Amino acid sequence: MIKVTRYEKTTRVEMVLNDEVVSWLSIHQRKCYIAGKEFTVGAIGGVGTKDEHRHKGYSRAVLDQSIKVMSEDGTELSLLFGIGDYYHRWGYVSCLPQNRLSIATWQAERATKYHQIRPLLDTDFPAILEIYKKDNQNRTGAIVRDKESYRKFRLGSTFGEKAVPYVLERDGLIEGYIVLDDAKHSVNLAEIGASTPAVYYSVLAFLAEEAIKRRVSTITGNIPQDHQFALFARKFGLAINVNYVYDADGMGRIINQEKVLKGLEEPLFKRCGLDPQKQAITVETDLGVTVLGQGDYYGSLKTDQMTLTQLLFGYLAVNQTIFTKNLITDMKMEDLEKMFPLQIAHLWGPDKF
């Protein structure tokens, strides 16, 4: 029997046999940004099956039910961090690249500290949430943080890492914040936010001090390569690794195509200079047909939900999808490349589920 239990911000889906829960997962209610717009997300986490009940199809049944639950609840997207070669069966596809930068400690020592840096207090959250929103509302994949309820960094850079947050003050004002992993033998930056470029100098100087205390030769961070801190750190001998994982790790899928595409109508048209009042585009996938715009026919796209997800997250190049025939269209290539630009989608470690 499949049991579905709804809580305030989480739905628990379980396979129950003879009053014993043998397989389970949780659907956390979140929101994320895509092209500056907010969408509801079913964030899948805590997936598990008891060892003695593996390979019996129970996890499959739980995931099948979870897709139905999210669809019934009007959820627009779903995201998860998954093992390889498994979740594609439910339409999930890699869409969140994994980023890691590194800077030699001796190079970081050249930075100057302009701020007082202290541990974060509960009363600091309103200020840092404002900084977070300004930094991330145009970052596809970033989680929308609720001012009313977001009062703790649950994780550091990933699962199993505890968070150690700090704020940066100057002249009595909070101008930035950072989250470090709670580790004795490494200095890893899990998140950073800043309202002024001076914060980046202070952060790097502080990280150098921490690295010297811990006798660490290299400072690392899980920061997107196009983030302002990564761009700033180039002059300090920055190295960046971006891992576009295949069929694993940060994955997503569309649950409600109509809501997602209608919600993105304005930015998609604006990117390529089209007017939704004058032109119309038809998008057809295995989830159905959606018409964007109210004007005359301009073109059509025929693809699958997984490819569309990767295009919306900027994970795939349009010309590649056309070459492989995962996208069939009569639209101009230049319009499509503007509509679905390559980008670095990112979900910060403390928001993982």
Side-chain angles (χ1 to χ4, degrees):
M1 178 185 75
I2 297 290
K3 179 182 177 182
V4 177
T5 308
R6 286 179 168 83
Y7 301 98
E8 185 178 356
K9 290 191 176 182
T10 300
T11 299
R12 183 79 168 172
V13 183
E14 301 168 320
M15 169 65 77
V16 182
L17 295 178
N18 300 321
D19 296 327
E20 178 189 8
V21 177
V22 298
S23 188
W24 58 86
L25 62 75
S26 294
I27 306 171
H28 305 289
Q29 298 168 21
R30 300 285 188 270
K31 289 184 178 180
C32 81
Y33 296 108
I34 300 181
K37 303 294 184 178
E38 296 182 12
F39 295 91
T40 57
V41 171
I44 303 289
V47 181
T49 300
K50 290 185 176 181
D51 290 344
E52 63 270 27
H53 291 286
R54 294 182 183 275
H55 309 297
K56 296 180 181 179
Y58 297 151
S59 180
R60 174 181 288 276
V62 168
L63 279 156
D64 285 344
Q65 185 64 40
S66 298
I67 300 296
K68 292 179 183 178
V69 167
M70 288 186 286
S71 181
E72 291 168 359
D73 289 349
T75 304
E76 294 161 338
L77 296 161
S78 181
L79 297 171
L80 57 80
F81 290 86
I83 59 174
D85 193 29
Y86 186 67
Y87 289 99
H88 66 274
R89 302 167 193 175
W90 291 273
Y92 288 90
V93 63
S94 297
C95 61
L96 294 167
Q98 302 304 299
N99 305 274
R100 189 171 180 84
L101 60 79
S102 60
I103 304 167
T105 299
W106 69 270
Q107 290 275 34
E109 288 181 77
R110 295 190 286 112
T112 301
K113 190 192 292 184
Y114 297 101
H115 295 79
Q116 175 191 356
I117 301 177
R118 61 167 174 79
L120 178 144
L121 304 175
D122 289 346
T123 52
D124 297 327
F125 270 100
I128 67 170
L129 287 176
E130 283 296 324
I131 294 172
Y132 174 86
K133 183 175 181 179
K134 290 178 181 178
D135 269 4
N136 291 282
Q137 61 186 345
N138 291 311
R139 170 77 63 181
T140 290
I143 293 296
V144 178
R145 291 179 177 170
D146 180 9
K147 291 181 180 180
E148 302 302 319
S149 61
Y150 200 96
R151 289 293 180 271
K152 182 181 180 181
F153 289 103
R154 297 184 305 104
L155 301 171
S157 61
T158 192
F159 308 105
E161 295 287 356
K162 294 181 180 179
V164 183
Y166 298 89
V167 296
L168 290 88
E169 289 183 322
R170 185 166 58 166
D171 299 328
L173 297 176
I174 294 176
E175 293 189 336
Y177 71 94
I178 57 172
V179 180
L180 300 184
D181 287 344
D182 185 9
K184 294 181 179 179
H185 304 295
S186 66
V187 176
N188 188 68
L189 184 60
E191 183 174 326
I192 183 171
S195 60
T196 170
V199 167
Y200 302 137
Y201 286 93
S202 297
V203 166
L204 199 54
F206 175 71
L207 295 179
E209 291 174 357
E210 290 297 305
I212 292 169
K213 290 178 188 176
R214 305 178 199 186
R215 302 179 65 83
V216 174
S217 63
T218 304
I219 296 162
T220 58
N222 300 95
I223 312 294
Q225 62 174 309
D226 61 347
H227 189 278
Q228 287 300 311
F229 178 75
L231 300 177
F232 151 82
R234 290 177 179 181
K235 62 188 280 186
F236 292 89
L238 175 72
I240 298 177
N241 177 271
V242 184
N243 187 3
Y244 287 86
V245 185
Y246 174 71
D247 196 20
D249 216 312
M251 307 179 76
R253 64 154 293 158
I254 296 168
I255 300 294
N256 190 312
Q257 176 177 302
E258 189 77 6
K259 285 187 176 181
V260 171
L261 289 180
K262 287 292 187 180
L264 289 171
E265 182 178 271
E266 182 266 332
L268 291 178
F269 274 67
K270 186 177 180 180
R271 283 172 177 174
C272 50
L274 299 178
D275 185 343
Q277 300 301 317
K278 296 179 180 179
Q279 288 99 18
I281 296 171
T282 300
V283 181
E284 180 181 354
T285 76
D286 43 304
L287 296 181
V289 178
T290 301
V291 179
L292 299 178
Q294 300 80 49
D296 297 330
Y297 176 85
Y298 186 80
S300 66
L301 306 173
K302 186 174 182 179
T303 184
D304 57 89
Q305 176 274 137
M306 297 170 81
T307 298
L308 181 59
T309 296
Q310 290 188 315
L311 288 173
L312 293 177
F313 276 74
Y315 204 83
L316 281 184
V318 169
N319 60 3
Q320 180 182 356
T321 64
I322 292 175
F323 177 76
T324 57
K325 297 184 179 179
N326 290 109
L327 174 62
I328 298 172
T329 181
D330 56 0
M331 291 181 61
K332 298 176 183 177
M333 179 67 75
E334 60 188 70
D335 285 343
L336 291 171
E337 289 178 337
K338 292 176 182 177
M339 185 174 285
F340 302 110
L342 289 173
Q343 57 186 305
I344 308 295
H346 185 71
L347 187 154
W348 293 97
D351 286 326
K352 288 184 176 181
F353 31 80

